[in-house]
Amino acid sequence: MVTLDLRHVASPAVRDLLHLVNHPAFDRAQQQIEHLGGCAEPVRLTGQSATVDTTTGEVLRSYATSEEPMGSLLTACGNRRASRCPACSRLYAADTYHLIRAGLSGGKTVPDTVRTHPRVFATLTPPSFGPVHNRLTTPGGDIRPCRCRKLHEPTDALIGTPLNPETYDYTGAVLFNAHASALWARFTTYLRRELAAGLGMTQKAAHAVLRISFAKVAEYQKRGLVHFHAVIRLDGPNGTSQPPPPYATVAVLADAVRAAASRVRMTVESDAVGERELAWGEQLDVREIAAFGTDAELTDQAVAAYVAKYATKSADASGTLDRALLCRPCQGRGATLLPHGTPLPCTACDGTGQARPLPRLAVARHVRQMIRTCWELGRLPEFADLKLWKWAHMLGFRGHFSTKSRLYSTTLGALRDARRAWCTQQARAHADLPEPDPTTTLVVGQWDYLGSGYSPGAALLAASAWHRRELERQFAAEGGY
């Protein structure tokens, strides 16, 4: 009989998994991991809570993490980036889909009549900062040669990189990303003005009879620049419950979008880089959103799915990093500072604050130069408020990836609250607990942050849970039962 010593042949993750499987309370540990649905970086909490009857002082239910096999309570990280946590990003995409869809066809407290309101899908793009390699096509769909006279494959790493890096305007590209959110804010201001002008009204008179609602999402191009996809809708003065006046048509809205985009200008001045004028690019796409059930390509369902898809992406889709170049501990202590208080990047910091040279970053040359430009501009006192060192991994973009106007539809917070209430109700029913009376019960507790992530063995269980759920989704999508 041959005995196999796994301590010498198995990886640390497998050894940790074996230790976890043999734990007396393994079932509870697995239950916690399964409950998170494959979350890659859960938050670990310690503490306790109790449900108390305020009339008698009786403790109806209590819970303490000291009773857990791993000594902590695991909660989902909630990260929207698919590169960081596929499980939580899928949930975020689903919430975004329902948020966008509700603003187009109703539901989630939005009346169904909103589908009759004029709405368009607009794409605002950045300008050119120099010619780049591209995969061009003819109107018939045939591939055209790039300016370098080559036919690039879809996966060619050259796509989006400058034809001549020496003449490419990296400073302008970074400054555009850094001011993209401000350009959008000015666009919404001009949009209201242009809409009023198109209707032959003053802004005050237009505001009294209609309202502009929108939801937008940012997407990175291959060249590392952000552009915005936006759903823009016209409502009555009270929002979704009222239609706009009949003369506020889709054509009027589309013309106002085009006029507003062409008017947006921002001037950035610096002794080091001179005066730069920032604006949207010439490529502007504005299309009407058709009602669900029509034969049109751009329906409310298609738009909601499209926006939700890009809501979970980050700058890493363009080949850069999905984490900050400087970790939080280094921002507070031990970091080497450049002039004006800018800390050096550390990427894989060990807590010492030592910087890793930019040439060692595992990114393409074009992306590395964008990051280097962020750091060079971040040293200038006139750009200190942009905090480009903090957003260098985002190539200068420091805005939210998805935003909406106040009355577009429901909110992500409301969707999460509804899901949390449903989960609580299901857990109470599973434990055969009565519905608590909110007037006579009180929940008290104390929670402390312990850390994030799994042990190596628990990480394998989480990956298995995620993989299994993905197979179930694919089976269901293919018509399985």
Side-chain angles (χ1 to χ4, degrees):
M1 181 177 179
V2 178
T3 302
L4 182 63
D5 190 351
L6 293 178
R7 293 176 300 176
H8 299 293
V9 299
S11 67
V14 173
R15 291 199 298 270
D16 183 64
L17 177 60
L18 292 174
H19 175 75
L20 183 61
V21 168
N22 288 295
H23 194 282
F26 168 71
D27 290 342
R28 171 55 185 164
Q30 186 180 30
Q31 182 185 26
Q32 275 209 58
I33 296 173
E34 291 281 347
H35 179 71
L36 298 180
C39 174
E41 296 185 49
V43 176
R44 304 198 307 274
L45 301 175
T46 59
Q48 60 277 330
S49 67
T51 303
V52 182
D53 188 329
T54 56
T55 59
T56 64
E58 178 186 2
V59 177
L60 303 177
R61 187 186 181 191
S62 63
Y63 170 82
T65 56
S66 58
E67 303 172 0
E68 296 288 356
M70 292 184 288
S72 62
L73 175 66
L74 300 181
T75 60
C77 66
N79 200 309
R80 68 161 188 85
R81 294 177 174 87
S83 60
R84 297 281 292 275
C85 183
C88 291
S89 71
R90 181 179 288 277
L91 193 61
Y92 184 92
D95 285 347
T96 302
Y97 172 83
H98 288 294
L99 184 150
I100 299 296
R101 178 73 183 274
L104 292 172
S105 55
K108 310 295 182 184
T109 72
V110 179
D112 295 344
T113 53
V114 74
R115 66 183 60 187
T116 64
H117 296 196
R119 63 265 180 95
V120 298
F121 186 59
T123 300
L124 286 77
T125 61
S128 173
F129 296 100
V132 297
H133 294 274
N134 210 338
R135 179 179 168 85
L136 306 174
T137 58
T138 65
D142 297 328
I143 303 176
R144 293 168 46 197
C146 175
R147 294 187 182 183
C148 67
R149 300 180 181 180
K150 294 181 180 180
L151 295 176
H152 295 293
E153 295 296 328
T155 57
D156 194 338
L158 284 176
I159 295 179
T161 62
L163 291 173
N164 186 356
E166 301 300 327
T167 60
Y168 189 80
D169 186 9
Y170 281 100
T171 297
V174 167
L175 290 176
F176 175 86
N177 278 352
H179 292 87
S181 297
L183 290 173
W184 170 261
R186 294 199 179 189
F187 165 76
T188 58
T189 299
Y190 284 125
L191 179 58
R192 295 180 177 89
R193 296 177 184 176
E194 292 295 335
L195 183 62
L199 296 174
M201 308 168 67
T202 64
Q203 291 187 60
K204 182 177 181 180
H207 182 70
V209 297
L210 58 83
R211 174 188 293 268
I212 297 176
S213 298
F214 65 84
K216 74 160 176 63
V217 65
E219 179 193 359
Y220 274 85
Q221 297 177 332
K222 288 287 188 180
R223 53 182 174 147
L225 294 169
V226 293
H227 64 287
F228 293 135
H229 302 289
V231 175
I232 305 176
R233 188 188 67 220
L234 292 182
D235 300 325
N238 293 329
T240 56
S241 60
Q242 287 181 308
Y247 49 81
T249 63
V250 170
V252 173
L253 175 59
D255 290 341
V257 170
R258 296 186 183 95
S262 64
R263 285 189 58 186
V264 175
R265 293 288 186 278
M266 285 190 68
T267 301
V268 178
E269 297 182 357
S270 168
D271 293 337
V273 302
E275 182 177 300
R276 298 296 183 99
E277 185 179 72
L278 305 177
W280 297 113
E282 296 180 357
Q283 293 184 352
L284 173 67
D285 185 28
V286 184
R287 291 184 286 170
E288 179 183 1
I289 301 174
F292 176 70
T294 63
D295 295 332
E297 178 183 355
L298 200 65
T299 63
D300 49 11
Q301 184 179 17
V303 169
Y306 186 78
V307 172
K309 172 185 176 182
Y310 287 106
T312 61
K313 291 192 174 183
S314 185
D316 57 291
S318 64
T320 185
L321 308 170
D322 65 350
R323 298 174 184 267
L325 290 169
L326 185 77
C327 68
R328 290 184 179 179
C330 281
Q331 295 182 37
R333 62 181 183 276
T336 304
L337 298 182
L338 295 171
H340 316 296
T342 302
L344 284 168
C346 63
T347 65
C349 179
D350 57 2
T352 63
Q354 297 300 317
R356 173 186 287 186
L358 290 180
R360 295 186 184 178
L361 296 181
V363 295
R365 175 185 176 186
H366 172 61
V367 172
R368 188 181 297 111
Q369 185 57 46
M370 290 278 287
I371 294 175
R372 181 179 287 109
T373 304
C374 287
W375 284 92
E376 292 174 350
L377 293 177
R379 300 181 182 186
L380 302 176
E382 56 266 38
F383 296 134
D385 60 325
L386 298 180
K387 297 183 179 180
L388 291 174
W389 56 267
K390 181 178 180 180
W391 303 105
H393 68 296
M394 303 291 286
L395 308 184
F397 179 62
R398 53 199 181 97
H400 293 286
F401 267 75
S402 60
T403 59
K404 72 175 190 66
S405 58
R406 187 168 61 90
L407 297 182
Y408 173 78
S409 68
T410 185
T411 64
L412 291 175
L415 294 174
R416 291 169 184 146
D417 290 342
R419 183 168 54 252
R420 188 180 300 111
W422 183 86
C423 291
T424 302
Q425 183 181 13
Q426 294 298 309
R428 186 177 294 113
H430 180 73
D432 197 22
L433 295 174
E435 188 74 22
D437 186 351
T439 62
T440 61
T441 57
L442 178 66
V443 178
V444 294
Q446 178 180 355
W447 299 98
D448 296 312
Y449 174 76
L450 181 63
S452 61
Y454 297 103
S455 67
L460 292 178
L461 290 178
S464 175
W466 165 249
H467 181 67
R468 185 173 63 257
R469 293 199 178 194
E470 279 297 286
L471 291 178
E472 292 173 354
R473 292 190 187 98
Q474 294 175 11
F475 182 69
E478 294 172 357
Y481 296 94

